[in-house]
Structures are given as structure tokens and as C-alpha cells.
Amino acid sequence: MSDDSNKTPVARRSGPAGYSGDLLDGEPGNYKHCCKVGRMADKYDLTTAVTGMDIHKELLAKWLGINEFPETSVRGLVSWFNQKIMRTHYLDHGRKDTEKKFSVEYEAFAGNDEDRRLWIEEELEQDGIDPDVLDDDFLSTATMYRHLTNCLGAEKETDSDPDSNWERENVDFVRERATSNIIDTLKSWDRKDVLPGGSDAKISIAIDLTCPVCSTSVPIRQARQRGYVCEDHLGSRADLDDDSDDDLDTDPDANVE
């Protein structure tokens, strides 16, 4: 359990996300659809029967690590939320899986392995589950982060916890937002016949860091792992932590379709 003293309390705005009461206290209030998170929560009637807490309040509590919830990263919240969506489809179509099998199938659907993805899509279609609907309704880390910080007005200290994942989530947010903007551009060019078929192309977003002195360039993940951008001009650090590569464990060149 993280120390609550290191966290900035939830920012109290005038009516964030349409809530009628305090965000983390009292009975759940009625809310309007602030973004995709609200729309999906309403579409799938996502409730938290175990805690009896409004799902938006639970997202906040999990992210901040308060109200007896362990602190959860944005990535972890996305996985938790998307699995709720997937379970709803399973229940609606009578697909019964053990917890272990469900976890394997979720990872196959949400992961980057194209062969495993095709396998689970075929499995789901046999039970009448439309993979495209799942794909459209799943949340991204960027969407969840915006919901927490913009819609719900949450704030979180980022420099007091050396074990936090905020840096990685920041990079993920930038990469996903850039991908989304490029997808919209390609679709527009495709419709205008400026770049026919462009919307079907795979997109690769790479974030590189360049030395301003000698122009040495290195992917951000590699720079984080080894502890420097340019050993000659920007310094180096030999005593890297053993788990230093965990902060940026996503592939900066990951393909997004």
C-alpha cells in the first residue's frame, strides 16, 4: 500500500464530469458522459458490486492508492476496465472460460502478437462475439489518463515516488496521441484520394533522443536502459538499477494498425 501522504488530493473543481457530490466520498452521483470512459461505463452497465462504489470513484481511488486500494498505474486501470467490457460480451454470448483461460484470451486480443490476435478473433466469432466491436470499445491509456486528470480533476505527485510509472505513462500518452492523429490524417487523405489506401497502412511511432553536439541519435528506451543519450557530451551513469528497463517496457517502434 502506497503512502497517501505523497499524493496530492483529488482536485475539487466546480462540477467535474457532472458529479453531484464529492468524488471519493458519499453516495455515487448521477453523471453525464464526459468522454469515452463514461460512454462505455454506461453502455456496459459497469458497476462495482464488490465495493458498492461508483466505477469512476473506484478508478480514482485505485489510481491514487487511497481508500484501502493499492495504487494502480493507468495501464493497469485500462486492463481492468477493458476486461470488464470483454467479460460482458462473454456473459451475453454464453462463453464460459476459467479465470486463467480468460486472462490468456484477453492478453491475446489486447497484445501485439498478430497470430495470437487472429486466433482469438476466430474463437470469439464462433461464439457470436464481434471482435471489431470489442476493439472499438476498448480504452487506451491516453483516454484513461485524460479521464482521470481532465474529466475527474485528479492530480498526482509525480516526483516524490521513485517507483512510480508516470514517466512511462507520459511517453505512452504522447505515442498514442500521435498515432491517433496520424490515423485521422490518413483516413482523410484516403477519402480525398490524396493517398489511396493510406488508412490501411501500419503506423510506427519512434521517439529518438539526439545529442545537440554530435547529432548522435538513440531510441528513448535504449537511452533509459543505458543511462545516457551521448556518452561523450551528455554524460553517463554506470550504476544503473537492475530494473531500469521496466520504466519504458513498451517497444517505441511498436506497430499500430
Side-chain angles (χ1 to χ4, degrees):
M1 181 82 59
S2 59
D3 183 0
D4 292 350
S5 63
N6 291 331
K7 303 295 181 297
T8 299
V10 174
R12 199 57 188 93
R13 297 179 184 174
S14 55
Y19 273 88
S20 60
D22 291 335
L23 291 176
L24 293 175
D25 298 303
E27 296 298 323
N30 294 325
Y31 62 90
K32 299 177 182 179
H33 295 161
C34 50
C35 67
K36 183 177 180 180
V37 180
R39 293 196 304 273
M40 292 305 104
D42 184 63
K43 177 179 179 178
Y44 290 96
D45 191 25
L46 299 182
T47 58
T48 52
V50 175
T51 63
M53 181 184 292
D54 180 286
I55 193 167
H56 298 278
K57 295 181 180 182
E58 184 165 355
L59 286 171
L60 281 173
K62 286 176 179 287
W63 190 49
L64 296 175
I66 60 178
N67 287 9
E68 299 185 357
F69 286 102
E71 185 176 354
T72 306
S73 68
V74 175
R75 183 185 300 275
L77 293 178
V78 168
S79 178
W80 176 73
F81 195 99
N82 286 345
Q83 287 186 52
K84 283 181 172 290
I85 291 177
M86 196 167 187
R87 286 186 188 280
T88 301
H89 281 273
Y90 276 38
L91 290 173
D92 289 347
H93 291 84
R95 184 177 177 85
K96 298 180 179 179
D97 278 343
T98 62
E99 184 67 28
K100 183 176 181 179
K101 187 177 179 182
F102 175 82
S103 296
V104 170
E105 293 179 351
Y106 171 77
E107 292 300 327
F109 187 81
N112 295 321
D113 189 315
E114 187 173 344
D115 290 336
R116 296 186 67 206
R117 170 73 180 233
L118 290 174
W119 160 72
I120 188 57
E121 284 184 350
E122 292 175 355
E123 288 281 315
L124 296 176
E125 287 174 343
Q126 290 178 5
D127 282 335
I129 300 174
D130 189 342
D132 290 335
V133 173
L134 270 181
D135 199 41
D136 289 341
D137 290 349
F138 269 18
L139 304 181
S140 67
T141 55
T143 297
M144 179 62 74
Y145 182 78
R146 286 195 300 267
H147 181 64
L148 294 166
T149 58
N150 294 345
C151 300
L152 302 183
E155 294 180 359
K156 190 176 183 180
E157 289 284 349
T158 57
D159 57 357
S160 61
D161 183 2
D163 296 323
S164 71
N165 290 323
W166 73 269
E167 300 97 336
R168 182 183 64 187
E169 291 167 3
N170 246 5
V171 173
D172 288 344
F173 174 82
V174 170
R175 186 180 293 121
E176 290 182 9
R177 186 160 189 173
T179 299
S180 177
N181 289 339
I182 292 173
I183 288 174
D184 291 341
T185 299
L186 292 176
K187 287 181 178 178
S188 178
W189 283 347
D190 201 347
R191 288 194 301 269
K192 296 176 181 177
D193 207 28
V194 174
L195 185 63
S199 57
D200 296 325
K202 290 184 178 181
I203 300 171
S204 179
I205 302 295
I207 301 177
D208 294 337
L209 306 179
T210 303
C211 174
V213 179
C214 65
S215 299
T216 294
S217 183
V218 61
I220 189 172
R221 173 187 171 91
Q222 184 179 346
R224 175 63 181 89
Q225 286 178 327
R226 70 187 190 182
Y228 60 87
V229 176
C230 174
E231 189 171 17
D232 293 332
H233 302 112
L234 296 183
S236 62
R237 181 166 59 87
D239 56 338
L240 292 176
D241 297 332
D242 291 338
D243 60 351
S244 60
D245 60 337
D246 292 338
D247 288 351
L248 289 170
D249 64 355
T250 55
D251 183 0
D253 297 319
N255 286 331
V256 181
E257 295 188 43

